[in-house]
Amino acid sequence: MASDKKQLVCAIYTRKSSEEGLEQGFNSLDAQREACEAYVRSQRHEGWKVLDTHYDDGGFSGGNMDRPGLVQLMADVRDHKVDVVVVYKVDRLTRSLSDFAKIVETFDGQGVSFVSVTQQFNTTNSMGRLTLNVLLSFALFEREVSAERVRDKIAASRRKGMWMGGNIPLGYDLQDHKLVINAAEADMVRTIFSLYANLKCVRRLKEQVEARGFRTKSWVSKSDRAVGGHPFTRGHLYYLLRNRVYLGEAVHRGSSNPGQHEAIIDKILWDQVQATLEANRIDRKNGKPFDNPSLLAGIIFDEKGNRLTPSHSGKKGGQYRYYVSQAVLQHEPGKAAEIKRVPASEIEGLVERQLRAILSNPGALVKQLFDEDCGADKRKAIVEGCAQLRKVEGKDEFADLMRALIAKVVVGLDRIEIALDRVALKKMLGVTRTGTHNTETGAHLIITVPVRIKRSGRPGKMLISEFGLDRPTTSINPSMVSAIVRAHKWNQQLISGKSITELAKQESVHRSYVGNTLPLVFLAPDITEAILDGRQPADLKVEQLLQSLPITWVEQRRALGFSAKPDQ
């Protein structure tokens, strides 16, 4: 007699964190699937049937959802191809509580049940859901404890001077998990240290290194990909000169201990180099002038294209530097822009801060430098390159960095535009493909800084507005962002037919709050973007957003303290 039970299609998901043993004829994934198939067969009287598709993730961590087998499973769940998801243990599906919540929400939305054959839980009832959450909490705890044990082991090993992995430094090779000196590379390292001790300038050191044809450490990765072997950048040199590995030490999280490898640099030369690096760093912090104080000479212009020429004046025994329009110097006031003279120290300081700020935001650089999808290797190179360039603090070195990267500076009445050489920046970050020619169009990366120039009978002080890139990136206001997100969400629900009263009841808030929040949908796009990025004026409060907003975007900017758009 045929069963009248509805047939339930069961998808079996298996996972193993490491690839060890997967090459065997019968591995952990096979064992998990066999146990799950046996459980499904035991439920044939309930109409259960195994789906032939294999959802296997061998060598993937359970700490995230970026797994091909799981991605395919979730897609088939959304396509209504699955009724029950079966796993050997809950932690095979995920070890993250937040990911588990997302997965269960998707299962519930599609009417899919979830079963663990060794724990026999079913998410269709509240007790099963509670038990699963408790179990997953312990799985997450176990994972974190394991990670702590690994970190403690690495720290203990580094205290004993052992090499615990990472990129092998120039001058060494790895043999039996220990660093051994590579004679040819070690001579190169000694030469670099000796040159810097004599030259006392990384810019001139780089020139000498290039002349000798020195290259960074090269090796072949496990995937047979050639890595390294590039010309030295200033960032590479700074890192090399500060690397205590060459002193025979093992470094871990800022502390160093005697290493189990031989030193390449003796203590006398090391101390001499560090003293020079520190002296250059202190010079930069104290604001001592560069050898050529006019850093922007030849690259700074006004809005009408007039070059601004370095000039100075003496007053009360002091020297004051300016950049003055050529139109003024040539007695052609009709050709001059509104800004005819700017104080040199203020404009140079502004440009320097902007350059340091953009190097502190590698995520933004990834988007700016690559229109196409940026691979993991390039993204990592940009992050590491920015970290190295941020270490450039010597007075000569940072002046060289500014001159190498900045192509043009344009000073306007309400904004300053800094054009960075995109090709030079890519080269310094180590993401320029070797053996290719630059075919980029629009090779400048433009940074626009809104400013105000206050006049007081003399060249005024430049005041940077709240939109400057030097504004800290940690000023995102969660309340403002949340209000804007709610406004757009509620607006869509209004369009779908809900009333304000229904929305208020749904969100457990007063209907007046809904009414005050909804107009945020009509905020000027640049204001919305600034708030989401954390670039709003420091004194702006969420209460101001929820008051009666002006209708026009111009009036909104004025009322909320945002700078006017350049075309207004």
Side-chain angles (χ1 to χ4, degrees), residues 149-308:
R149 285 200 299 265
V150 171
R151 288 194 295 268
D152 291 343
K153 178 184 176 182
I154 292 175
S157 300
R158 294 300 281 172
R159 285 194 293 271
K160 293 181 179 180
M162 300 172 63
W163 177 256
M164 294 304 295
N167 292 337
I168 303 169
L170 182 71
Y172 292 97
D173 291 327
L174 191 64
Q175 291 182 9
D176 299 326
H177 303 288
K178 292 185 178 180
L179 293 179
V180 295
I181 290 180
N182 179 312
E185 292 181 0
D187 287 341
M188 190 188 309
V189 172
R190 295 188 190 100
T191 301
I192 291 174
F193 271 80
S194 298
L195 284 171
Y196 182 75
N198 293 324
L199 297 171
K200 302 184 187 305
C201 174
V202 170
R203 173 179 58 82
R204 291 194 285 270
L205 172 63
K206 182 175 179 294
E207 293 172 355
Q208 292 294 322
V209 166
E210 287 179 345
R212 286 169 167 75
F214 289 174
R215 292 290 187 271
T216 60
K217 181 79 175 182
S218 62
W219 71 95
V220 177
S221 69
K222 292 182 179 179
S223 59
D224 294 328
R225 183 172 61 88
V227 182
H230 303 300
F232 278 94
T233 64
R234 280 190 289 268
H236 288 137
L237 293 173
Y238 269 104
Y239 181 77
L240 185 147
L241 293 171
R242 290 191 173 104
N243 194 344
R244 301 188 69 89
V245 168
Y246 298 121
L247 200 58
E249 297 182 356
V251 181
H252 181 67
R253 294 189 175 181
S255 63
S256 60
N257 298 277
Q260 297 183 0
H261 59 280
E262 294 184 50
I264 291 178
I265 303 300
D266 62 71
K267 190 68 164 59
I268 295 175
L269 178 57
W270 172 267
D271 289 342
Q272 184 180 354
V273 166
Q274 301 313 306
T276 304
L277 289 169
E278 182 65 15
N280 285 340
R281 185 183 71 84
I282 292 174
D283 282 351
R284 183 68 194 92
K285 281 190 173 182
N286 289 340
K288 293 183 180 179
F290 298 111
D291 292 337
N292 178 8
S294 299
L295 298 179
L296 306 180
I299 60 173
I300 183 168
F301 300 83
D302 65 20
E303 286 185 308
K304 291 189 175 182
N306 298 303
R307 189 184 301 275
L308 299 181

Side-chain angles (χ1 to χ4, degrees), residues 489-491 493-494 498-509 514 518:
K489 171 187 171 183
W490 293 345
N491 185 58
Q493 292 177 331
L494 277 179
K498 281 194 174 183
S499 66
I500 291 180
T501 302
E502 290 172 329
L503 287 175
K505 185 176 181 180
Q506 166 190 304
E507 302 291 337
S508 300
V509 297
V514 178
L518 280 170

Side-chain angles (χ1 to χ4, degrees), residues 342-558:
V342 293
S345 58
E346 280 85 348
I347 185 67
E348 290 167 359
L350 179 148
V351 172
E352 177 184 340
R353 289 193 298 275
Q354 297 302 311
L355 182 55
R356 290 188 182 276
I358 199 166
L359 292 176
S360 299
N361 192 352
L365 273 181
V366 169
K367 297 178 182 178
Q368 293 284 352
L369 292 177
F370 296 97
D371 294 331
E372 74 279 6
D373 182 36
C374 181
D377 290 342
K378 283 184 179 178
R379 190 179 298 274
K380 180 181 179 183
I382 290 175
V383 171
E384 293 176 349
C386 284
Q388 294 303 320
L389 292 180
R390 288 198 300 273
K391 295 178 181 178
V392 177
E393 293 181 332
K395 58 182 182 180
D396 292 332
E397 287 80 2
F398 200 81
D400 292 337
L401 181 63
M402 288 178 64
R403 294 190 191 101
L405 291 181
I406 298 172
K408 189 176 183 180
V409 177
V410 179
V411 180
L413 182 62
D414 58 355
R415 67 186 183 278
I416 291 174
E417 291 184 353
I418 305 168
L420 299 183
D421 188 320
R422 189 186 297 265
V423 177
L425 183 55
K426 283 187 176 182
K427 183 177 179 181
M428 285 193 180
L429 294 174
V431 292
T432 301
R433 291 175 294 179
T434 57
T436 61
H437 298 285
N438 173 46
T439 58
E440 292 190 57
T441 58
H444 290 163
L445 173 60
I446 305 298
I447 303 173
T448 301
V449 189
V451 298
R452 299 191 303 273
I453 298 181
K454 182 180 178 182
R455 292 183 176 84
S456 57
R458 55 186 175 86
K461 186 178 180 180
M462 303 178 66
L463 305 174
I464 304 174
S465 79
E466 293 292 337
F467 276 178
L469 279 181
D470 57 330
R471 179 176 175 81
T473 57
T474 57
S475 58
I476 293 177
N477 187 313
S479 298
M480 291 187 192
V481 173
S482 178
I484 291 175
V485 171
R486 284 197 201 101
H488 285 269
K489 171 187 171 183
W490 293 345
N491 185 58
Q492 290 298 320
Q493 292 177 331
L494 277 179
I495 295 173
S496 301
K498 281 194 174 183
S499 66
I500 291 180
T501 302
E502 290 172 329
L503 287 175
K505 185 176 181 180
Q506 166 190 304
E507 302 291 337
S508 300
V509 297
H510 196 276
R511 67 187 311 277
S512 63
Y513 177 76
V514 178
N516 291 335
T517 303
L518 280 170
L520 296 184
V521 172
F522 306 106
L523 269 178
D526 56 298
I527 295 179
T528 300
E529 182 178 351
I531 292 173
L532 295 179
D533 290 343
R535 295 183 285 107
Q536 71 280 350
D539 57 351
L540 181 62
K541 307 297 182 185
V542 69
E543 291 78 10
Q544 294 173 255
L545 293 179
L546 300 179
Q547 293 173 358
S548 180
L549 282 175
I551 296 177
T552 68
W553 291 347
V554 174
E555 292 173 344
Q556 288 178 8
R557 297 185 187 105
R558 186 181 301 115

